Amino acid sequence: MIVAFVEIHFSKKIVIALPLRLRYVVLAKQISTVPRSNESEVIFMASIRKRGSSYLIVVSMGYDYNGKRIKPQQKTVHPPEELTPRQVEKWLNEQAVLFERECRHTPQPVQQLTLAKYIDLWLETVAPSKLAKSTIRRDRQDIERILPALGHYKLTELRPEHFRNFYAELRKVISIETKKPLSEYTIEGVYATLCSILSDAVEGGFLSHNPAWRTYRYTGRKCEKKIADEETAQKIIAALEGESIKYETYFKLLIATGMRRGECCGLKWCDIDWEQRSIHICRNAVKVTDEEIFVKEPKTRAGDRYVYFSAEMESLLREYQKECRYITETYDQRELTDDDFLFRRQGARLPMTPTTFTYRFKLLLKKNCLPQELNVHSLRHTAASLMIAGGADVATVAGILGHSQPSTTLDIYTHAFDKNKKAASAGNARRRPGEGS
């Protein structure tokens, strides 16, 4: 008997040469980096055995979550009679690889694995390599709500009705902070977390499909985004002129460009092109509780973008740069560099924490008797609404805001586009026959 051993990576095309007219066994090792069972790497061993005029392909499935050997998968194949010996070799190679891939996508039996146990596995092996720390922290809050209600269910027992009943019970829960029922936004977030976790379970071979998919439906009317109208925006801008130049620059940048608060905190002086009057948004400052602030790349490719500012904004930025240069030379005993953050902690090379600006904005609103329901993110929505009111199309607004899909922009700001449509329709209705073309 002759034994041949090869490694098969899913992304590579392979050819296995089998000796002719001899009894043989081919061992093929496939390497997967998707966590399956209780291992971070699962090895599939496939053998091809000749049996008369047929061949038996056997794929070893490894071990289950509890360390027990999983029953190997077998398949008998019959090469077409008209094939030459060399063609039979090639045909068998193809059948072996196809069957191994088929087995790879077949969920492993994990009858004893509960949702709670899988979430532990997910938090340990999957989430850290896929998600940002801030996202994991937010997901953990959702998991605290998920486990008491669904954690005891075995993965293979989960059904859509379990999730629908769970969302219905969540709507009865009273929030400790607000003393009101949980918001629909919170419940929608729990649903998104469940879908994400169980999608990874499907990818890892623990499930054949995602039972949480399409089990949530928003109830009631969605709240409109908190947006400052044009008059309120002008009052905010006027109020900012009484603040320090640091906060005036920060908040006016948000209104002018629609940046997120973390994106603005992540700006460096090298990101500004004074000649083009543009800013390169290419990083995001994130602060997770009990950890030091850190800077990361935008979540999507669309998040890495350029925005433009006016001559008036340029004047403010140059004045603020002079202020930063003076403070750096006076207190840090060094020169300001292009690698410094625009909004930097004094005495350090770290950006300011985004929540600092959240707090200062609330103080500004209260001091100037402005609408208290507004927040820093409202300025992003305000910027978008002002762009739309000025006639900007969906694709342009989506590009400035860093949305991956224009449909996202349209969904969020439907009300603003609807106002433009109504205004355009009213204008057309007032036109008399024969006017225009």
Side-chain angles (χ1 to χ4, degrees):
M1 179 183 293
I2 296 177
V3 178
F5 182 80
V6 297
E7 285 189 1
I8 300 174
H9 292 259
F10 297 141
S11 60
K12 297 179 181 178
K13 183 177 180 181
I14 60 127
V15 176
I16 307 172
L18 304 178
L20 299 176
R21 293 180 294 278
L22 290 172
R23 294 187 60 200
Y24 54 83
V25 174
V26 175
L27 300 180
K29 182 173 80 170
Q30 284 194 340
I31 297 177
S32 168
T33 56
V34 179
R36 301 164 74 90
S37 299
N38 61 343
E39 300 175 317
S40 60
E41 182 184 89
V42 172
I43 298 176
F44 292 84
M45 300 296 291
S47 65
I48 305 174
R49 301 188 182 112
K50 183 170 173 50
R51 289 188 170 181
S53 61
S54 66
Y55 294 82
L56 180 67
I57 302 174
V58 181
V59 177
S60 174
M61 299 299 291
Y63 298 84
D64 65 17
Y65 185 78
N66 297 306
K68 294 181 180 179
R69 187 177 180 81
I70 300 171
K71 183 180 178 181
Q73 299 293 310
Q74 298 184 1
K75 181 179 182 180
T76 300
V77 294
H78 298 268
E81 294 180 359
E82 66 275 10
L83 297 183
T84 65
R86 187 169 295 279
Q87 288 173 332
V88 169
E89 291 178 26
K90 184 177 179 180
W91 186 86
L92 284 171
N93 293 341
E94 292 172 350
Q95 294 303 308
V97 172
L98 288 173
F99 185 51
E100 285 168 328
R101 288 179 178 174
E102 182 183 328
C103 293
R104 178 168 66 94
H105 291 292
T106 301
Q108 299 182 21
V110 286
Q111 285 81 3
Q112 303 306 314
L113 181 59
T114 63
L115 177 60
K117 284 185 178 180
Y118 176 73
I119 287 178
D120 287 341
L121 180 68
W122 182 81
L123 287 170
E124 182 181 347
T125 63
V126 181
S129 62
K130 290 184 64 175
L131 304 175
K133 290 182 180 179
S134 55
T135 304
I136 295 174
R137 187 175 186 86
R138 187 170 61 246
D139 285 352
R140 283 184 181 276
Q141 294 174 348
D142 293 333
I143 288 168
E144 288 177 4
R145 293 191 169 100
I146 293 167
L147 291 181
L150 301 174
H152 63 285
Y153 282 102
K154 296 171 185 175
L155 281 182
T156 51
E157 292 176 346
L158 288 169
R159 298 291 181 269
E161 56 268 23
H162 294 144
F163 301 105
R164 295 191 185 102
N165 293 337
F166 171 51
Y167 305 141
E169 290 301 315
L170 280 182
R171 293 186 176 99
K172 301 175 186 177
V173 175
I174 304 299
S175 170
I176 298 175
E177 291 81 14
T178 64
K179 310 300 180 186
K180 297 178 181 179
L182 294 179
S183 69
E184 201 63 27
Y185 177 79
T186 298
I187 298 169
E188 189 173 19
V190 173
Y191 161 71
T193 299
L194 268 169
C195 279
S196 175
I197 291 172
L198 293 177
S199 289
D200 288 327
V202 173
E203 184 179 347
F206 294 98
L207 290 169
S208 59
H209 68 285
N210 189 338
W213 184 247
R214 293 184 176 178
T215 56
Y216 169 82
R217 180 174 294 178
Y218 197 98
T219 61
R221 295 181 61 184
K222 286 198 174 185
C223 298
E224 284 194 5
K225 301 294 181 184
K226 298 179 177 67
I227 299 174
D229 56 27
E230 191 170 354
E231 181 182 350
T232 304
Q234 290 301 326
K235 288 180 179 179
I236 292 173
I237 291 171
L240 285 171
E241 291 171 2
E243 297 295 311
S244 71
I245 192 169
K246 176 195 293 181
Y247 295 110
E248 180 185 2
T249 305
Y250 180 89
F251 292 121
K252 282 187 176 181
L253 268 177
L254 296 192
I255 296 172
T257 65
M259 274 187 277
R260 300 175 178 89
R261 61 175 193 169
E263 291 173 337
C264 200
C265 287
L267 290 178
K268 293 184 177 183
W269 290 108
C270 60
D271 298 326
I272 299 177
D273 184 330
W274 298 103
E275 186 177 339
Q276 298 294 326
R277 282 191 197 150
S278 68
I279 297 175
H280 184 197
I281 301 173
C282 55
R283 66 186 74 82
N284 187 35
V286 180
K287 177 68 174 73
V288 178
T289 306
D290 299 327
E291 293 188 25
E292 186 57 272
I293 191 168
F294 62 94
V295 177
K296 64 174 187 174
E297 293 180 351
K299 190 160 50 176
T300 64
R301 184 180 298 178
D304 189 321
R305 63 198 188 278
Y306 289 86
V307 293
Y308 299 85
F309 51 86
S310 64
E312 185 180 356
M313 191 73 231
E314 178 188 359
S315 177
L316 179 61
L317 280 167
R318 288 190 181 279
E319 186 181 350
Y320 176 57
Q321 188 181 41
K322 289 179 183 178
E323 175 81 4
C324 291
R325 188 174 288 119
Y326 170 78
I327 291 174
T328 304
E329 291 173 356
T330 304
Y331 296 100
D332 295 355
Q333 301 296 306
R334 66 176 181 85
E335 292 186 355
L336 185 73
T337 69
D338 284 346
D339 198 49
D340 278 316
F341 291 99
L342 267 70
F343 306 99
R344 179 179 61 85
R345 292 186 195 174
Q346 189 171 314
R349 292 183 180 268
L350 294 172
M352 292 178 66
T353 305
T355 51
T356 300
F357 295 98
T358 301
Y359 172 72
R360 293 297 301 222
F361 188 66
K362 283 297 182 183
L363 288 182
L364 176 80
L365 295 175
K366 188 174 183 180
K367 185 168 69 173
N368 294 276
C369 301
L370 293 165
Q372 297 296 298
E373 67 272 13
L374 296 176
N375 54 45
V376 174
H377 202 67
S378 300
L379 300 181
R380 175 173 164 83
H381 296 318
T382 300
S385 295
L386 293 175
M387 292 176 210
I388 295 166
D393 59 83
V394 181
T396 300
V397 177
I400 293 172
L401 296 181
H403 290 160
S404 298
Q405 299 291 336
S407 57
T408 303
T409 311
L410 190 59
D411 183 49
I412 296 173
Y413 301 107
T414 298
H415 63 286
F417 284 107
D418 284 346
K419 286 179 183 177
N420 273 12
K421 289 177 185 176
K422 289 177 182 177
S425 297
N428 285 338
R430 287 194 294 270
R431 290 172 64 183
R432 290 175 293 183
E435 290 183 345
S437 56

